[in-house]
Amino acid sequence: MLLEIKDVKKDYKLAAGNKFVALKGINASFDRGELVSIIGESGSGKSTLMNLIGGLDLDFTGEINLNGKNIRELKEKELDLYRKNKIGFIFQSFNLITHLSVLDNVTIACILSNENNKTRIKRAEKILSDVGLKEHMHKKPNQLSGGQMQRVAIARALINEPEIILADEPTGALDSKTSEQILDIIKKISDSGKLVIMVTHSEKVASRSSRVVTISDGLIIDDKINVDEKVIHEFKEEVASKKQNLSFLSSIKLAFKNMIEKKSRNILVSIGASIGIMSVVLMLSLGSGVENYMTETMKGYVNPLVVEVNKKVDESNTTTNIPAPGASLLLSKTEPFEDKEIQDIKKIEKVENVELAYSITSMNSNKLIYGDKNTTVMMLGTVSSNITNENIKEGKRPSTNEILIDESTSDKLGGNILGKEVELEIAIDKKIIKQKFVVSGIYGGTSSSQMGNISMLYLNYDDIVKLARDNDYEIKPTTLYLTTSNEKDTESIKAKIEEMGYQGSKQEQMLEMFTEMISIVTYVLAAVSGVSLFVSAIMILVVLYISVVERTKEIGVLKAIGARRKDIKRIFTAEAFIIGLLSGTIGVCTAYVLGIIINAVTTKIFNVGVVNVSPVYVLFGIGVSIIVSVIAGLNPAAKAAKLDPVVALRRD
Ligand code: ADP
Ligand code: MG
């Protein structure tokens, strides 16, 4: 015997500890090739029995043995395989999945088993032409008549070569002529050696089956063999059980097909969810853009092989600090280095050379004169390795008796003074000293727009010392420049300098402080925008919940066909994944476009773009979006996977 039912009892638990006994002890055996009609009044327990045989409900007592094996003893995995490969379900209301084509509806079980596409389609074509639907393969269910839909459902039930076909009122929703056609097909199926158990209300239908079982009030009250229709058949080979799983790609495809159906809703949700990602990415890009700009500017006038050293000065006596590029030309008190200190600094590891530097800052007593023009010199410094040739716009670094001037000074002296002789007039200790120098070059380390009109000149340290000495005044270096041959060594030198109680370049320190501040502000802003990610997550959660509710019936069908919990979960997770991918992409693209617009505006105003949407942020944005979305989808997916197929199928 293929199927043996022994003393099967089933009761439904009701509220307050009550129960309703739907099956009171069913005993029957069925064999291959039989076409069994189950008849009985509504509410007599026919569907209940079908669900038990179909493995949709294991909550019963007694035995249902297929090939001698009790299905109640199957593990969850085996039960899924039982539903997938041993049973084919046909429902009264067809229960086709509306967003899938006829072909996909028929082969959904194969997709769930991750079967090869070609064999899947070939098999479906064969079965569809058997039921006369070959030319309708690519239609959607709503483009078919009732009879055609039921034929699709039959094809779906047959696709995995099941041993038992269960049909619960398959002709209940069809007119008599169509019913005849469906019945012909069903008869052919049983003739091919399968066991077909069919619930019906129609006497006519029952009369064409080989056996009629009558159920009343949860018991079999009659079991008649219809000799005319009884045929004996040779058995078919059992199909090897398929153990593959729904692949990631197939789950994405399935999810995608469903999402296409709800296009506008999914797009709107993705746009909503994208706002969070967009603002996070934009904030990070803004921070990185500003930071980049700062360090680029810094690099423009700092030689990376040079470490600047100053002595610490009692800050309480310090006047305003104005960062000046090029040298330590600060409007602050400086303290000179003693020889002993210089010797000690020279000994620092990796330091190759120590250059001495000095600077004079004055508001109005120093002047540079060229012909009949003159200009106030605010800062006079010495040239060291910190001024590289890249910083010099025209000409070269000054050698003895030469001077390097900045652009604005050159402009004020009428321009075009490269190689010309100028006179420097400086006050040292209230004494006015004059000296002639030749302009060796124009310094371009910083644009005058950044520094305003502060004029800066650079001489050789030796020239300044000599100039002072000629006037009985001794100069000691106020700044040291340590050179090294490898950029990597500057960090350790800087650390050592600090350890020794000196301080580095003040503008560098300020820049560091500033960039640190920028990155803190950036992260705070990004975190604030991150709150909107939370809103996105909830939005996605709600949409997926709605999707689960809407598709309850579909989930029931999938389970009846043999989908595992995992497969159902995967389909919904895939949906969350797609929403995440979509919203992430939209968010990143909007951030990118906004970045271009903002950069265009700031370039116009400040001559520099401040938003830097780097590929890292693009990947980060999309990645975060997918993660948030998939996490939001976990719960709805689990809810879908947990749905009871019997309950889900009863839903209208
Ligand atoms: P039918 O023969 O019409 O298919 P069913 O098998 O659907 O009958 O139902 C048999 C009996 O069990 C009916 O009286 C029905 O009300 C009851 N029943 C079915 N499902 C449930 C359920 N989930 N909870 C409680 N009672 C149920
Ligand atoms: Mg019923």
Side-chain angles (χ1 to χ4, degrees), residues 366-614:
N366 301 339
K367 271 189 199 137
L368 192 68
I369 305 156
Y370 174 60
D372 55 354
K373 295 201 175 82
N374 72 73
T375 176
T376 311
V377 175
M378 292 184 89
M379 293 173 189
L380 177 64
T382 57
V383 67
S384 325
S385 297
N386 65 321
I387 294 178
T388 60
N389 286 329
E390 284 113 68
N391 301 142
I392 295 169
K393 253 188 140 170
E394 271 179 82
K396 57 180 179 58
R397 291 155 54 101
S399 48
T400 313
N401 284 326
E402 285 185 338
I403 191 166
L404 177 69
I405 67 172
D406 70 346
E407 249 182 318
S408 71
T409 307
S410 162
D411 289 346
K412 276 181 224 150
L413 296 178
N416 199 16
I417 62 168
L418 192 65
K420 304 278 163 52
E421 199 176 62
V422 291
E423 191 172 35
L424 180 67
E425 201 183 284
I426 50 172
I428 296 182
D429 267 1
K430 283 168 194 150
K431 214 165 128 192
I432 306 282
I433 302 167
K434 291 186 181 184
Q435 177 82 39
K436 287 204 161 84
F437 292 94
V438 172
V439 176
S440 74
I442 312 290
Y443 177 66
T446 177
S447 64
S448 37
S449 69
Q450 280 170 310
M451 289 312 301
N453 277 327
I454 296 170
S455 52
M456 290 179 296
L457 307 182
Y458 299 96
L459 294 174
N460 271 294
Y461 182 74
D462 293 341
D463 279 355
I464 271 210
V465 172
K466 185 167 170 292
L467 191 66
R469 195 172 293 147
D470 288 350
N471 293 281
D472 304 320
Y473 189 81
E474 208 203 330
I475 277 178
K476 281 193 172 155
T478 51
T479 301
L480 305 180
Y481 290 102
L482 316 184
T483 58
T484 170
S485 55
N486 193 339
E487 235 177 276
K488 288 180 194 130
D489 296 327
T490 50
E491 281 314 308
S492 67
I493 295 172
K494 276 179 193 163
K496 184 73 188 159
I497 289 296
E498 250 171 64
E499 198 187 304
M500 289 166 80
Y502 299 107
Q503 59 181 14
S505 153
K506 282 183 189 158
Q507 58 262 45
E508 210 173 291
Q509 280 169 0
M510 281 184 55
L511 183 100
E512 257 165 40
M513 229 171 64
F514 201 66
T515 44
E516 203 167 304
M517 241 163 57
I518 290 172
S519 56
I520 290 172
V521 170
T522 303
Y523 288 128
V524 169
L525 287 177
V528 170
S529 357
V531 173
S532 47
L533 285 183
F534 188 69
V535 179
S536 312
I538 290 187
M539 218 154 45
I540 292 167
L541 187 84
V542 170
V543 165
L544 287 173
Y545 265 128
I546 293 173
S547 186
V548 171
V549 171
E550 281 174 348
R551 293 163 71 187
T552 302
K553 192 116 185 204
E554 177 188 333
I555 295 164
V557 173
L558 287 174
K559 284 206 159 174
I561 284 173
R564 303 162 310 155
R565 279 167 188 242
K566 245 191 244 168
D567 299 332
I568 306 277
K569 209 181 242 174
R570 223 172 261 183
I571 292 171
F572 281 90
T573 308
E575 211 164 291
F577 177 88
I578 294 173
I579 292 182
L581 183 66
L582 192 61
S583 66
T585 311
I586 295 173
V588 166
C589 288
T590 338
Y592 190 76
V593 171
L594 281 178
I596 291 174
I597 294 170
I598 294 172
N599 281 347
V601 172
T602 57
T603 306
K604 210 156 197 185
I605 302 173
F606 307 111
N607 226 358
V608 57
V610 290
V611 180
N612 170 33
V613 185
S614 74

Side-chain angles (χ1 to χ4, degrees), residues 109-126:
C110 311
I111 296 175
L112 291 174
S113 328
N114 195 20
E115 238 172 81
N116 174 288
N117 237 350
K118 261 200 199 128
T119 52
R120 164 175 85 91
I121 291 171
K122 227 172 116 189
R123 200 135 47 96
E125 275 175 354
K126 164 90 178 54

Side-chain angles (χ1 to χ4, degrees), residues 620-649:
F620 172 80
I622 294 178
V624 165
S625 175
I626 290 175
I627 291 170
V628 166
S629 189
V630 168
I631 289 176
L634 286 181
N635 213 330
K639 185 187 152 121
K642 256 187 270 167
L643 278 180
D644 178 350
V646 178
V647 177
L649 280 171

Side-chain angles (χ1 to χ4, degrees), residues 52-67:
L52 297 188
I53 297 172
L56 295 181
D57 185 356
L58 288 188
D59 182 23
F60 63 90
T61 62
E63 287 176 33
I64 295 179
N65 297 323
L66 181 81
N67 294 319

